[in-house]
Amino acid sequence: MLMLISPAKSLDFESTFDEVIHSTPDFLEDSEILIQQLRELSPQDVGRLMKISDKLADLNFGRFLNWQPPFSLDNAKQAVLAFQGDVYQGLQAETFTAKQAEFAQGHLRILSGLYGLLRPYDLIQPYRLEMGTKFKNNLGKDLYAFWGNKLTDVLNEELVHHKSPTVVNLASNEYFKSINKKQLKAELVTPVFKDYKNGQYKIISFYAKKARGLMAAYAIKKNITNAEKLKQFDVDGYQFSQNDSSDKEWVFLRKL
């Protein structure tokens, strides 16, 4: 079983953690190709491309210029500890034991516009490049064209070694679109989290994102390798609803 999550815009490269495992991203050469093309943009181009303020455009223009392999703990940080945001608030990777970190390394993957597919403890340098960004590059009109089937292929290669070849999609639609579902050689399950508000259950973005991280943490801390066991997820009041679920979409409900 492999779980997929999205990255976060907010980053923390200040906090440090002792004796935490680290690894090198598999697609670093591809990332470098993207960086070289991104460096051809002006700060104003970056702002227009990403629809961000001048201040953020300058920041990310500088990040592209400063991006430099090889990565080490002196110039980079483990992805799961660098990303901040709703999903990562739920995940709380900083609380993982060494054993849990090793399990996460084998069963959790982070989709990324710049890095493609990350193991949680792959080192990254600061960046912002959302998967849905319409950045014209040498391979096509956007990042989906740039990554093509590479991410799907590497997932398939990994899943061969899993007893239960299942992908649990805890990523946003924007990021999961980078995976070719038709070519994915695995069962695909998408958990959906709904909260009761104004007389009905609905997806509330902040809570749903945090719940994705909570579910990933639940699986990591309980060493879950069979997706069926995720139906027992009951953190923060969520409960699996058989009546609202299908084979491919598992719905979890909560009354606030």
Side-chain angles (χ1 to χ4, degrees):
M1 182 183 83
L2 284 174
M3 298 175 288
L4 301 181
I5 58 175
S6 305
K9 298 173 189 173
S10 301
L11 303 170
D12 174 10
F13 277 82
E14 305 303 319
S15 305
T16 57
F17 299 87
D18 296 331
E19 299 180 11
V20 179
I21 60 173
H22 64 277
S23 49
T24 301
D26 288 336
F27 293 106
L28 211 49
E29 291 183 4
D30 299 89
S31 303
E32 194 162 9
I33 291 170
L34 269 178
I35 285 288
Q36 294 299 335
Q37 295 176 60
L38 287 161
R39 284 175 177 165
E40 296 174 9
L41 303 176
S42 68
Q44 292 76 23
D45 292 333
V46 171
R48 285 191 290 269
L49 178 69
M50 298 186 180
K51 298 179 176 62
I52 53 179
S53 67
D54 291 345
K55 183 178 180 181
L56 283 174
D58 287 338
L59 172 65
N60 286 286
F61 175 77
R63 285 171 170 173
F64 297 146
L65 293 182
N66 294 328
W67 194 94
Q68 186 64 49
F71 289 2
S72 71
L73 290 175
D74 293 326
N75 66 10
K77 187 174 179 179
Q78 297 93 333
V80 76
L81 299 175
F83 290 128
Q84 302 292 299
D86 303 333
V87 172
Y88 296 86
Q89 284 181 29
L91 189 62
Q92 292 188 327
E94 66 276 7
T95 68
F96 290 171
T97 64
K99 201 169 186 179
Q100 289 165 352
E102 288 286 357
F103 185 88
Q105 192 77 333
H107 296 86
L108 182 66
R109 296 293 177 265
I110 304 169
L111 296 164
S112 165
L114 178 60
Y115 295 98
L117 192 70
L118 293 162
R119 291 177 292 267
Y121 294 92
D122 281 350
L123 295 175
I124 64 169
Q125 290 181 356
Y127 80 103
R128 177 166 171 169
L129 188 65
E130 295 168 67
M131 188 65 83
T133 303
K134 294 180 180 179
F135 175 57
K136 189 175 181 181
N137 57 81
N138 64 320
L139 292 179
K141 63 179 181 178
D142 54 25
L143 295 176
Y144 299 116
F146 179 84
W147 289 112
N149 285 326
K150 283 185 178 181
L151 311 186
T152 309
D153 291 343
V154 77
L155 285 178
N156 285 334
E157 289 170 13
E158 288 193 52
L159 285 160
V160 167
H161 304 289
H162 286 246
K163 290 182 180 179
S164 176
T166 306
V167 169
V168 180
N169 173 27
L170 294 167
S172 66
N173 291 335
E174 173 188 353
Y175 280 89
F176 190 69
K177 275 176 64 179
S178 64
I179 303 301
N180 187 330
K181 290 190 291 185
K182 291 182 179 179
Q183 293 191 15
L184 193 61
K185 297 175 183 177
E187 292 293 319
L188 176 62
V189 173
T190 301
V192 176
F193 304 94
K194 295 184 177 183
D195 287 276
Y196 193 78
K197 186 176 181 181
N198 297 329
Q200 61 180 319
Y201 286 101
K202 59 177 67 176
I203 297 172
I204 301 175
S205 181
F206 165 74
Y207 293 131
K209 289 177 183 177
K210 186 178 179 183
R212 292 170 188 161
L214 288 170
M215 176 169 278
Y218 176 86
I220 289 163
K221 291 177 179 179
K222 290 184 175 290
N223 292 333
I224 293 174
T225 58
N226 184 335
E228 279 290 322
K229 292 186 178 180
L230 292 177
K231 290 179 179 179
Q232 298 170 22
F233 174 75
D234 58 357
V235 180
D236 270 16
Y238 285 102
Q239 296 289 333
F240 174 68
S241 174
Q242 182 71 53
N243 291 338
D244 296 285
S245 300
S246 65
D247 290 343
K248 303 296 185 184
E249 187 175 277
W250 294 354
V251 177
F252 295 80
L253 304 178
R254 178 178 70 168
K255 282 194 174 182
L256 291 172

